[in-house]
Amino acid sequence: MTDQPAWHGEPDLPAMRRALVLAAQGPLGDPNPRVGAVVVAADGTVAGEGFHAGAGSAHAEVVALARAGDAARGGTAVVTLEPCNHTGLTGPCTRALVDAGVSRVVFGQADPNPVARGGAAELEAAGIQVVPGVLADEAEALNQAWTFAFRHGRPRVTWKFAATLDGRSAAVDGTSRWITGPEARADVHDLRAECDAILVGTGTVLTDDPQLTVRHPDGSLRDRQPLRVVAGTSTIPAGARILDDAAPTVLFPEHDPALVLKALHEQEIHHVWLEGGPTLAAAFLRAGLVDEVVAYLAPILLGAGRNAVGDLGIDTIGAALRLEPTEVRTVGADVRVRASVVSLTTSHEEPR
């Protein structure tokens, strides 16, 4: 047992808040969810803490129980996610909790994974009191893309684009480097790093020859690189930078966004960062397969050139694809807008 003080106030909330802080230390872009756990001994003191450090490492409950030792017996395990009930790269956490002799298990989010869920019922069958749903919304927010993927059977898709104020992603001569400033470009790398895969079409590869890696401001590669994905049937030159050894790459000779996402879901990809050109972006939008938009708007005007998105099949303002802004902020000289895709409006208002 540690010499940490006992929790005060409502018995489970402080421990769950601490578990949420621990969980946030886990990696984003991992096949597994971020999970935190706190073991509270029978006398109310904190006996052990832990978080999941990524696929293949010990789960949060196992780490916390190991640190708690015998003090876990008769105590309470507070976990941000329902303890798993299956054997993967590691054993089931339900068995670890039963063997440790805890008397109560409190968890936040119910597990949406059909392979791993069922932990609550297993613990109750072993005579352990289970308290579900404590700070469930906060717990779910830790693993937004992971949860989305299991609920919808496909990865969550974020479409990122950079454009001028008049909606151009490239000039008439095709030049597009750089529309936004260095601060915005660095911000893109931070957001890329949170995703599992970066997706472009063959047209983008042939036109821009991007490397699609995640880099530090000094240009050096970050330790973890998302999967690079190229969709389309055009042949990619053998010397294309996207085929180098800086990060893994997969090629899908496919134009159907749903089939691409299905294949990625089967590879445990939960969050796709869509950086393709206007044609690929339009295909995903027309298919209803974009969930979030991250737009970087530069305070410049071109007046002509390539549009940020291709034809969406919309011919009247009443059918416009409406977005719900979730954040608007300046990044250097540019403006970043994050928005959720809501739905096609049924309004028939006249243009203003």
Side-chain angles (χ1 to χ4, degrees):
M1 184 187 308
T2 69
D3 57 359
Q4 298 181 50
W7 296 114
H8 298 287
E10 295 183 65
D12 299 322
L13 290 181
M16 182 60 79
R17 291 193 181 101
R18 174 59 182 164
L20 291 167
V21 171
L22 292 166
Q25 299 179 44
L28 279 169
D30 190 81
N32 289 353
R34 299 191 294 174
V35 183
V38 173
V39 175
V40 181
D43 64 1
T45 58
V46 176
E49 299 180 339
F51 68 92
H52 182 51
S57 64
H59 287 192
E61 300 95 314
V62 174
V63 175
L65 290 169
R67 292 174 176 167
D70 292 340
R73 192 162 298 278
T76 297
V78 180
V79 193
T80 57
L81 180 68
E82 179 182 5
C84 68
N85 193 40
H86 84 298
T87 300
L89 295 176
T90 60
C93 291
T94 50
R95 174 46 52 193
L97 290 162
V98 171
D99 291 345
V102 300
S103 63
R104 296 174 72 243
V105 171
V106 178
F107 68 84
Q109 180 187 4
D111 197 333
N113 185 349
V115 175
R117 65 189 176 200
E122 184 74 11
L123 292 169
E124 288 179 332
I128 295 174
Q129 180 187 3
V130 176
V131 181
V134 176
L135 299 183
D137 290 343
E138 291 89 335
E140 182 173 325
L142 283 166
N143 298 295
Q144 187 179 36
W146 179 83
T147 301
F148 180 98
F150 282 109
R151 287 181 176 168
H152 296 270
R154 66 166 177 86
R156 187 169 185 264
V157 176
T158 296
W159 171 43
K160 168 263 174 184
F161 71 92
T164 63
L165 283 184
D166 53 348
R168 308 295 178 175
S169 63
V172 173
D173 65 358
T175 57
S176 60
R177 295 186 180 182
W178 293 101
I179 288 177
T180 55
E183 295 88 353
R185 297 198 296 273
D187 191 63
V188 168
H189 285 277
D190 288 339
L191 295 182
R192 272 183 181 177
E194 297 178 359
C195 298
D196 305 317
I198 304 170
L199 172 62
V200 297
T202 52
T204 293
V205 174
L206 295 173
T207 301
D208 298 333
D209 191 25
Q211 191 178 26
L212 295 186
T213 51
V214 177
R215 299 182 294 277
H216 296 289
D218 64 3
S220 61
L221 294 173
R222 301 195 189 191
D223 290 339
R224 178 192 166 274
Q225 295 293 325
L227 178 69
R228 299 179 295 191
V229 182
V230 183
T233 55
S234 298
T235 301
I236 302 300
R241 295 202 301 160
I242 203 168
L243 299 178
D244 65 20
D245 59 1
T249 301
V250 295
L251 307 178
F252 286 117
E254 178 59 62
H255 288 293
D256 187 336
L259 293 180
V260 173
L261 293 182
K262 180 177 183 295
L264 290 174
H265 183 64
E266 292 171 351
Q267 296 186 32
E268 296 187 292
I269 298 297
H270 303 133
H271 193 179
V272 170
W273 182 257
L274 179 63
E275 280 203 21
T279 301
L280 186 66
F284 271 78
L285 286 164
R286 287 197 306 268
L289 294 175
V290 172
D291 307 293
E292 180 188 33
V293 175
V294 176
Y296 292 87
L297 302 178
I300 59 176
L301 300 171
L302 283 174
R306 186 174 65 192
N307 291 327
V309 65
D311 183 10
L312 296 179
I314 297 171
D315 56 11
T316 178
I317 194 67
L321 181 61
R322 302 288 178 176
L323 308 182
E324 182 177 315
T326 57
E327 181 189 44
V328 179
R329 55 168 291 198
T330 56
V331 182
D334 306 304
V335 176
R336 187 184 81 186
V337 179
R338 298 188 75 152
S340 298
V341 178
V342 184
S343 64
L344 288 171
T345 179
T346 57
S347 167
H348 295 287
E349 294 178 353
E350 291 299 319
R352 296 180 181 179

